[in-house]
């Protein structure tokens, strides 16, 4: 008999208390043996994955999805290495972020504690199973995973390795739940367990994320899409700007931190655009331009409002021309997704204006939007990227899976003197 | 014609951008002139309040509610002073909480930015109108206030003062919205504006908070209740423990940080309980005990499970006896509300065990639960207390109304070398 979603979640909540109580060393050792188990059982994982792939092909699933689903020995080693990297990160749990002595003589500390139980809802990529488990356990949490149906056998094989390592370490397996029931009803039940689940992180297509957000009774952290902008200012170093543009658009166009829109200051458009257009076309990028851009580069297709709001996730770029940094800011405020924006400029004042006026999760000066990533920003690994401007904003690592609370140590202090003996 | 909730919220979102762009000095000066305006127009506020009180009495509203509603010159001065205190707090906006240089040569900063638009839903107390406005504007946000119908005239008079000060400072009045429409439908609309409102904070009775939580499509931070515990350990200094007990229960029993349950270690029960019972009864506290407590103090009424889960908000205390700190921890985990827990002990190891095992927002050693308050914990002022273990946990001041984002400054760095010219 399958355990119900609620029963599994209750067990997870109880087990999470035991994970939280582990020492830093014990939690890190657990993660290392999870990584070892993944590598030791690589053949079982690959066999399960082959079956997932066979069925996916039968269903006629597209190549991009098949690529995300497919594992080989190298990829499994990569998954295990990622878990080891999480083990090597500093422990966010117990970190004292603030300490002061009150005038009344007690000390006040702010100390990080685990969130509790985290539910992760995701699609085809089986590596998320190990990544999310590692990050959640690292931060002392229980985790409930609801993967995609295409990856069900791969996910089960990975979870079996992780559970084996937990058993061997004496950590209750219930702290890591891989949901068996992949129905919509079970997912609904999961995201409405407001007395048990502390946070839901959906990762995948916009449809999945909207469904979760709409139905959740539990806090949700997510990003719908990444419409990332590069603004090339009149004071830009155009060589740097071109590097940043090419890297942002072409190094991995399907990533959420890839560029979707280029805005160019009119003063440098005549110099920059022809070079940019030639370089991008050489690399197979399809270009769409607004009216002024097309006046300069008539071979370009027209870009409409929908194009400026779109996350292409492919070798496609919308280009607009502006007369000032303020016009660029206004465009980004209107069409942006609060993910990542870049300015190329050598003028410090213009850079500051851009940084301060935009409230996106990641704002960059003279660097590629592709650095908007947990690993690159020093978080070690990421469980997702938040454009929810609450709790965490931007790439989320282990620290984002904890919360600061207050610890006060006194010597018998009371608030009202009349309470004294 | 009244503006619709959505229209007001859109204006608020636009105006919030202008509030966020103000300098620290300009935001603080605005708050000071808001405080001055409240004091200058005290007679208008008191006249409006008198009308609210008259109608509330006609409706037969209880004394406790009337007391929360009532203003006099001293209380208005107190409200103005609280706004000035918020002005004097350090500015959370723009604060750099972390800075590092990546190995690739760019700098990574984490910098606090405003949340955006905050909606506050509250009941009878008109001081919340000024407090919430001051804290939200201090942190560079727009704010939408939905007060209780009993305080509608008082709230309008206070908002008129605040709007006057905003006008004089050239800050768009739309950044502070006091909703005219107090219907449930309007409240529902407000808490479902997920594209405009960044956070809803409900404050008031559990019914109101549950209604908001159930219907919101916007993140909600709240606490339902404060079932705060004092555990008197076998190694407690019993004099200190008694002070903390009396202060926690009697100094303001209707506050959420007042004690509701006393747990006593069996080894000190025979010494401590008779003293505690006599002192508390002298101060009019009604006592309920579990079986073992009543064996020692037979005059006590029995405490059932409901009593241990209750927030009495009055001079009433449930008492239980335990054989160890672990039994106390288990009791608190079962019945607690994650608000505030206190241990009285001179044993550092036992204190550490209590602090680490409990995940409540505020955990204290040898100090009164009544210190669980923004002012006492060094936040200067508080907009509420969160037992939502996400974004903020415990008393929330101005910093809790901001969020950290990433700012990266480079010199043309790209992620993939092949992107170079």
């Amino acid at each position: 008999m399958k355990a119900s979603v609620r029963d599994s979640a209750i067990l997870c909540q109880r087990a999470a208390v035991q994970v939280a109580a582990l020492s830093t060393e014990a939690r890190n050792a657990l993660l290392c043996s999870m990584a070892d188990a993944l590598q030791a059982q690589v053949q079982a994982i690959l066999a399960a994955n082959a079956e997932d792939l066979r069925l996916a092909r039968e269903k006629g699933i597209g190549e991009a999805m098949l690529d995300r689903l497919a594992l080989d020995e190298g990829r499994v080693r990569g998954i295990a290495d990622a878990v080891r990297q999480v083990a090597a990160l500093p422990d966010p749990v117990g970190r004292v972020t603030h300490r002061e002595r009150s005038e009344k003589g007690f000390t006040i500390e702010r100390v990080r504690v685990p969130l509790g139980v985290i539910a992760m809802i995701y699609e085809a990529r089986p590596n998320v199973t190990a990544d999310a488990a590692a990050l959640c356990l690292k931060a002392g949490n229980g985790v409930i995973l609801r993967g995609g149906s295409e990856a069900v056998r791969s996910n089960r094989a990975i979870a079996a390795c992780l559970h084996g390592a937990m058993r061997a370490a004496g950590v209750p397996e219930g702290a890591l739940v891989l949901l068996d029931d992949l129905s919509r009803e079970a997912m609904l039940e999961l995201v409405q367990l407001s007395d048990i689940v502390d946070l839901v992180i959906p990762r995948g297509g916009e449809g999945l994320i909207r469904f979760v957000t709409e139905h959740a009774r539990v806090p949700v952290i997510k990003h719908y899409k990444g419409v990332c902008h590069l603004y090339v200012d009149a004071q830009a170093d155009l060589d740097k700007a071109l590097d940043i543009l090419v890297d942002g658009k072409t190094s991995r166009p399907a990533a959420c931190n890839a560029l979707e829109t280029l805005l160019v200051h009119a003063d440098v458009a005549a110099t920059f655009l022809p070079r940019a257009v030639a370089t991008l076309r050489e690399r197979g990028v399809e270009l769409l331009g607004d009216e002024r851009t097309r006046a300069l580069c008539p071979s370009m297709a027209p870009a409409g409002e929908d194009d400026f709001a779109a996350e292409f996730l492919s070798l496609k770029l919308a280009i607009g021309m502006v007369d000032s940094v303020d016009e660029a800011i206004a465009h980004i405020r209107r069409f942006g997704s609060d993910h990542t924006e870049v300015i190329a400029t050598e003028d410090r004042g213009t850079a500051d204006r851009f940084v301060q006026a935009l409230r996106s999760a990641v704002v960059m000066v003279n660097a590629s939007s592709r650095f908007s990533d947990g690993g690159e920003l020093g978080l070690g690994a990421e469980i997702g990227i938040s454009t929810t401007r609450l709790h965490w904003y931007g790439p989320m690592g282990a620290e984002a899976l904890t919360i600061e609370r207050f610890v006060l140590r006194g010597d018998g202090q009371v608030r009202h003197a009349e309470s004294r003996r």
Side-chain angles (χ1 to χ4, degrees), chain A:
Chain A
M1 209 186 81
K2 283 184 185 177
S4 79
V5 174
R6 187 177 179 84
D7 290 346
S8 301
I10 289 173
L11 288 178
C12 185
Q13 191 180 35
R14 283 191 204 140
V17 174
Q18 286 178 256
V19 176
L22 292 175
S23 68
T24 300
E25 295 69 31
R27 258 181 288 123
N28 291 345
L30 169 64
L31 263 56
C32 289
S33 42
M34 283 164 60
D36 294 344
L38 288 169
Q39 280 194 270
Q41 290 163 62
V42 58
Q43 293 314 325
I45 295 172
L46 294 184
N49 186 247
E51 184 65 8
D52 277 339
L53 283 168
R54 192 183 62 78
L55 290 165
R57 277 199 199 91
E58 272 184 27
K59 276 201 233 158
I61 278 171
E63 277 309 311
M65 175 80 109
L66 285 175
D67 180 60
R68 282 198 286 276
L69 179 55
L71 296 176
D72 56 27
E73 285 201 31
R75 283 192 176 185
V76 173
R77 200 180 321 116
I79 294 174
D81 282 342
V83 173
R84 282 189 197 102
Q85 277 166 29
V86 173
L89 292 175
D91 189 357
V93 179
R95 200 156 74 82
V96 177
T97 55
H98 178 86
R99 180 179 280 134
E100 69 181 282
R101 202 169 180 83
S102 85
E103 50 190 30
K104 282 164 187 147
F106 49 73
T107 58
I108 302 165
E109 288 179 347
R110 279 159 64 179
V111 185
R112 291 211 160 263
V113 293
L115 292 181
V117 174
I118 294 162
M120 183 91 200
I121 296 176
Y122 54 107
E123 292 181 331
R125 294 167 55 175
N127 64 305
V128 176
T129 305
D131 286 357
L135 279 164
C136 290
L137 294 172
K138 171 83 185 185
N141 297 291
V143 56
I144 303 175
L145 301 171
R146 195 275 190 193
S149 55
E150 313 75 23
V152 62
R153 287 159 199 82
S154 313
N155 288 338
R156 279 189 198 146
I158 290 170
C161 297
L162 306 180
H163 277 144
M166 292 169 80
R167 253 194 323 274
V171 175
E173 285 177 64
L176 164 60
V177 176
L178 180 72
L179 283 192
D180 269 329
D181 183 348
L182 300 184
S183 65
R184 286 236 137 170
E185 293 68 37
M187 178 158 63
L188 271 181
E189 193 183 345
L190 176 63
V191 302
Q192 300 189 338
L193 292 173
S194 58
D195 52 337
I196 304 172
V197 174
D198 293 282
L199 172 65
V200 173
I201 304 175
R203 256 174 83 174
E206 201 175 331
L208 174 75
I209 297 172
R210 291 212 181 269
F211 180 83
V212 169
T213 306
E214 198 131 309
H215 294 91
R217 288 285 169 282
V218 161
V220 181
I221 291 187
K222 81 275 172 180
H223 76 274
Y224 289 122
K225 54 182 185 174
V227 182
C228 305
H229 296 77
L230 166 63
Y231 164 59
V232 177
D233 184 53
Q235 307 302 320
D237 176 321
L238 297 182
D239 286 341
K240 289 183 200 167
L242 187 60
D243 286 352
I244 291 170
L245 172 62
V246 170
D247 193 61
K249 184 67 256 180
T250 69
S251 65
R252 198 169 148 216
C256 62
N257 58 14
L259 288 179
E260 309 297 345
T261 298
L262 166 69
L263 299 172
V264 184
H265 194 290
D267 288 358
V268 291
T271 326
F272 185 69
L273 275 180
R275 259 181 90 188
V277 166
T279 310
L280 289 170
R281 283 203 173 134
E282 234 169 66
R283 299 190 182 226
V285 181
E286 181 189 345
L287 302 173
L288 310 169
D290 68 358
E291 222 167 284
R292 292 173 74 189
T293 303
R294 292 180 68 226
L296 209 62
C297 312
S299 66
M300 220 175 271
E305 296 220 334
D306 285 359
D307 297 309
F308 283 114
E311 184 182 29
F312 299 120
L313 295 170
S314 65
L315 286 173
K316 205 165 168 183
L317 181 76
I319 306 180
M321 204 185 298
V322 295
D323 287 314
S324 65
V325 66
D326 286 323
E327 207 182 306
I329 290 165
H331 177 104
I332 296 171
R333 278 195 187 141
R334 177 160 175 220
F335 293 104
S337 61
D338 281 347
H339 193 296
T340 300
E341 327 300 347
V342 181
I343 182 172
T345 187
E346 299 300 307
D347 184 282
R348 177 68 194 234
T350 307
D352 286 348
R353 164 115 196 91
F354 186 85
V355 168
Q356 274 154 37
L358 288 172
R359 59 178 202 169
S360 302
V362 186
V363 181
M364 301 186 178
V365 180
N366 293 330
S368 169
S369 63
R370 295 273 297 112
F371 288 117
S372 185
D373 168 282
E376 299 289 338
L377 292 179
L379 308 179
E382 84 184 20
I383 196 163
I385 292 186
S386 167
T387 58
T388 309
R389 208 162 38 260
L390 204 81
H391 183 71
W392 198 270
Y393 198 31
M396 301 171 69
E399 187 182 322
L401 304 176
T402 63
I403 181 80
E404 277 179 19
R405 56 100 168 244
F406 293 85
V407 175
L408 191 151
R409 290 175 201 271
D411 192 33
Q413 283 86 350
V414 295
R415 191 152 162 194
H416 290 266
E418 316 86 76
S419 306
R420 292 258 175 228
R421 281 149 284 128

